[in-house]
Amino acid sequence: MQRGNCPMKICIINGSPKTGKNTSELLIGYLMPFIKENEITKYKVCELDFTEAQFSRIQNSEVLIFAFPLYIDSINSDLLHFLIELQKRGFRNKNTNVYCIINNGFYEGRQNHVAADIMKNWCKATGLTYGQTLGIGAGEMLPFFEEIPLGHGPNKNIGIAFQELVHHILSLSKGEDLFISPNWPRFLWKIQASLAVWYPRAKKNGLKKKEIFQGF
């Protein structure tokens, strides 16, 4: 969507602390085809140089979109530092609308609600307009379904939620926060996540399977 003949200035912030491939980048990729007609700038918080030119683009944006993973029911330190710096610098465009896409490793998307409230409070403190948050569960599973189109199969709920989020972004309007889980049985997600993600990571870090369950 364009306002008249003038595209909106949209700035997308990848708040993941990971420099390589990450789920936040995947979700930004899902978003891009819906908003590609606008003037878009993308930054990764972990790679930002914090230059005046970078901050100027952010401060003058009409739409600011944050995509980041949940860290202990909150936001990671890199993103927190960035938000504090932005708040100190202030915004030239006080009509900037803020939208968030948060993913977590739990099955329930509702687990993202505390991080969404943090972003809502940050917007209030910074004088910006909080638009909406899309909180997505089972984030570690999403890369395995990367080739499945949005709105189909296990990505059905994500596709429906993205349509609503995009509507509010392009119309500069507000919406209720959306918290969703994939269209996939929870018991299968638990088994697959353990075998494909958590057990291999534990092994990589020198832990045996039985050690994971000590104390339970």
Side-chain angles (χ1 to χ4, degrees):
M1 174 183 176
Q2 294 179 330
R3 297 191 306 168
N5 294 320
C6 183
M8 290 193 296
K9 294 180 179 179
I10 299 177
C11 192
I12 302 176
I13 307 295
N14 183 338
S16 174
K18 297 179 181 178
T19 56
K21 193 173 181 180
N22 54 73
T23 303
S24 297
E25 191 68 28
L26 171 64
L27 294 170
I28 291 171
Y30 284 153
L31 178 67
M32 287 299 294
F34 297 105
I35 61 173
K36 62 183 180 181
E37 295 180 358
N38 294 282
E39 184 181 325
I40 299 171
T41 304
K42 294 193 294 183
Y43 292 120
K44 289 184 178 181
V45 167
C46 61
E47 297 177 358
L48 268 176
D49 296 321
F50 288 86
T51 65
E52 292 300 323
Q54 289 171 337
F55 276 110
S56 179
R57 282 185 174 271
I58 297 169
Q59 291 168 314
N60 286 289
S61 61
E62 294 169 87
V63 174
L64 188 55
I65 302 170
F66 290 92
F68 61 92
L70 191 71
Y71 268 58
I72 317 178
D73 287 341
S74 186
I75 59 180
N76 64 76
S77 59
D78 286 345
L79 180 56
L80 177 61
H81 175 60
F82 177 70
L83 292 174
I84 292 172
E85 184 65 25
L86 270 181
Q87 186 174 338
K88 287 194 300 185
R89 289 171 176 260
F91 277 74
R92 298 187 182 95
N93 182 7
K94 290 297 183 179
N95 295 317
T96 300
N97 282 44
V98 177
Y99 303 88
C100 302
I101 305 171
I102 312 173
N103 76 89
N104 67 63
F106 301 96
Y107 182 80
E108 297 80 11
R110 180 67 189 172
Q111 198 75 24
N112 294 300
H113 75 97
V114 174
D117 286 342
I118 290 173
M119 297 304 298
K120 192 179 299 182
N121 290 333
W122 177 79
C123 288
K124 185 176 181 180
T126 313
L128 304 182
T129 300
Y130 176 83
Q132 187 177 38
T133 284
L134 170 55
I136 302 173
E140 296 289 348
M141 191 174 72
L142 297 180
F144 293 96
F145 299 140
E146 187 173 356
E147 301 302 320
I148 299 176
L150 290 183
H152 298 272
N155 286 336
K156 182 179 179 180
N157 286 344
I158 296 176
I160 294 171
F162 258 94
Q163 287 182 354
E164 181 173 338
L165 177 67
V166 168
H167 165 73
H168 290 297
I169 290 173
L170 296 182
S171 61
L172 296 175
S173 57
K174 299 180 182 180
E176 293 292 326
D177 290 342
L178 302 171
F179 300 109
I180 63 168
S181 299
N183 298 86
W184 198 254
R186 193 180 192 282
F187 79 94
L188 280 180
W189 163 81
K190 186 176 180 180
I191 294 171
Q192 292 168 323
S194 297
L195 295 176
V197 180
W198 305 121
Y199 292 162
R201 286 188 182 180
K203 184 177 180 180
K204 185 178 179 180
N205 286 280
L207 286 174
K208 296 180 181 179
K209 183 178 176 180
K210 63 180 181 180
E211 293 176 309
I212 299 175
F213 297 98
Q214 286 181 354
F216 289 92

